[in-house]
Amino acid sequence: QAKEAGRNAYVVFAEWMSDSAEQQFRLLADLRRAIELNQLFLQYQPKVRVSTHQVSGAEALIRWQHPEQGLIPPDRFIRLAERSGVINDIGRWALNEACRQLRRWHDAGHDTWSVSVNLSPIQFGSPHLLQEVSDALEIHRVEPRRLVLEITESAVMRDTETSLRLLQSLARLGVGISIDDFGTGYSSLLYLKRLPATEIKIDHAFVRDLENSSEDVVIVSAIVALGHALDMDIVAEGVETAGQRAYLERLGCDFLQGYLLGRPVDPERFMQLHDLPRPRMVVASELQASQG
Ligand code: C2E
Ligand code: MG
Ligand code: MG
Ligand code: MG
């Protein structure tokens, strides 16, 4: 986190980290009840396919509407949830909620969309995860390949053999496996080769300065080459400018995510914004913007 302290989002995060022990204790007590009180909800950020400029799916991002404190972002409560074990309940809730939403979208005609759900390393250590995932798919009648599980490098590195076995079981279910925040952890390339991942998400740290940093250009193109050689899709996250997008497209990324393509929004809004495939008026202007 410290290394990212230059970015606004993380400066705010740093402030929040100074929640006192007492504040955290109260927050945790509230968090334990947040699910049953319907205070948690998911927002969805579009994932756009470069080759078609169409939305291919959404990443589900959790939020907490706290009765007194207002909207609390995940960076402020996921860690707390992890330390207390509440993350297993929250994670199960998020998985089911995302699958329920995907079913609604499919029923509304968006049947090619996928949904990506973030998993905590703690959930990854749970013996129930595999069953929970297959239950969620079954209950909400979601095709496995339409669900993508996002895990961070650190999560898969933690306990390599057990993690590898769990990942392989998940992969056998047919769900997508995405390595989130790629490049910020401690990936061993040897290990990467053994992962049944379907996707690599290039961390926004490498996207941010792409237009001015030849080093970042080299890193991104190396990740693209590596991922493609291992038969994985490449997603770039944190795309904010047309210039970044132009670079990422030229460097061969398959999917883009970021405020330029769309912010995380409520599911109803997501449908309004990204309605059934049709010529989108914005495409032409977006193209001009990225060329200009
Ligand atoms: P992440 O999975 O890497 O998600 C990307 C984060 O970047 C999200 O922050 C998203 O809102 C933000 N973002 C997207 N586009 C842009 C952009 O163009 N510029 C900038 N500056 N930021 C952008 P968010 O929603 O606050 O989530 C933060 C992290 O919290 C996520 O990082 C993920 O690790 C975790 N998280 C979110 N939802 C869940 C969940 O349901 N379960 C678990 N375990 N973790 C979650
Ligand atoms: Mg993610
Ligand atoms: Mg990420
Ligand atoms: Mg992240």
Side-chain angles (χ1 to χ4, degrees):
Q1 291 71 34
K3 68 180 186 297
E4 307 210 28
R7 310 191 56 224
N8 289 341
Y10 291 93
V11 172
V12 178
F13 171 61
E15 267 167 38
W16 282 327
M17 282 310 283
S18 66
D19 278 345
S20 70
E22 194 195 326
Q23 282 168 326
Q24 295 216 13
F25 185 78
R26 278 204 217 134
L27 207 58
L28 177 57
D30 293 346
L31 186 56
R32 288 187 193 281
R33 305 192 55 209
I35 298 181
E36 51 179 305
L37 293 177
N38 273 322
Q39 293 169 356
L40 297 180
F41 64 102
L42 298 177
Q43 288 194 318
Y44 297 86
Q45 183 178 39
K47 177 175 161 188
V48 172
R49 189 186 297 274
V50 167
S51 62
T52 60
H53 284 208
Q54 295 276 342
V55 168
S56 71
E59 177 174 4
L61 295 158
I62 200 166
R63 277 93 182 81
W64 179 12
Q65 187 66 54
H66 189 282
E68 286 107 39
Q69 300 197 34
L71 190 62
I72 305 185
D75 283 337
R76 188 163 160 222
F77 67 88
I78 289 292
R79 205 163 294 233
L80 191 63
E82 288 174 341
R83 267 188 274 131
S84 60
V86 181
I87 192 67
N88 286 310
D89 293 332
I90 292 178
R92 195 181 319 109
W93 174 84
L95 179 67
N96 273 283
E97 184 60 26
C99 288
R100 182 178 300 121
Q101 184 55 53
L102 188 65
R103 165 65 19 226
R104 287 195 201 109
W105 284 334
H106 283 192
D107 288 345
H110 294 281
D111 53 4
T112 62
W113 282 357
S114 62
V115 75
S116 300
V117 177
N118 291 284
L119 288 189
S120 151
I122 306 291
Q123 285 175 274
F124 209 69
S126 158
H128 307 296
L129 182 67
L130 183 63
Q131 190 63 48
E132 287 170 6
V133 171
S134 73
D135 286 351
L137 294 172
E138 195 180 316
I139 292 167
H140 303 290
R141 293 176 292 118
V142 165
E143 272 181 274
R145 67 190 174 116
R146 300 299 182 197
L147 175 66
V148 179
L149 302 176
E150 296 197 2
I151 54 178
T152 56
E153 284 175 81
S154 53
V156 280
M157 294 303 128
R158 195 149 302 179
D159 179 359
T160 49
E161 284 312 316
T162 316
S163 309
L164 204 57
R165 245 176 287 127
L166 177 53
L167 269 182
Q168 282 159 350
S169 307
L170 288 167
R172 273 196 299 274
L173 280 183
V175 300
I177 309 279
S178 176
I179 308 176
D180 203 353
D181 303 342
F182 188 83
T184 62
Y186 306 90
S187 271
S188 136
L189 295 181
L190 252 180
Y191 186 61
L192 185 66
K193 165 180 104 165
R194 300 173 60 199
L195 286 182
T198 51
E199 177 183 289
I200 286 177
K201 287 186 93 161
I202 302 178
D203 193 76
H204 37 34
F206 302 109
V207 171
R208 194 164 55 226
D209 302 322
L210 208 50
E211 293 156 275
N212 305 305
S213 159
S214 56
E215 289 90 347
D216 286 343
V217 170
V218 169
I219 290 169
V220 168
S221 58
I223 298 175
V224 170
L226 179 68
H228 283 168
L230 295 171
D231 208 19
M232 299 173 188
D233 284 326
I234 309 294
V235 186
E237 62 180 353
V239 185
E240 294 183 353
T241 69
Q244 290 166 347
R245 168 154 92 179
Y247 265 97
L248 291 161
E249 294 190 353
R250 209 175 311 142
L251 292 173
C253 291
D254 304 292
F255 298 91
L256 304 181
Q257 251 185 279
Y259 295 163
L260 181 73
L261 295 310
R263 290 182 177 257
V265 291
D266 295 338
E268 300 74 26
R269 182 84 185 121
F270 189 93
M271 264 254 278
Q272 287 169 4
L273 286 172
H274 313 290
D275 208 352
L276 288 172
R278 63 188 155 81
R280 286 170 58 227
M281 303 301 287
V282 281
V283 169
S285 59
E286 282 171 0
L287 279 173
Q288 274 166 9
S290 68
Q291 282 159 2

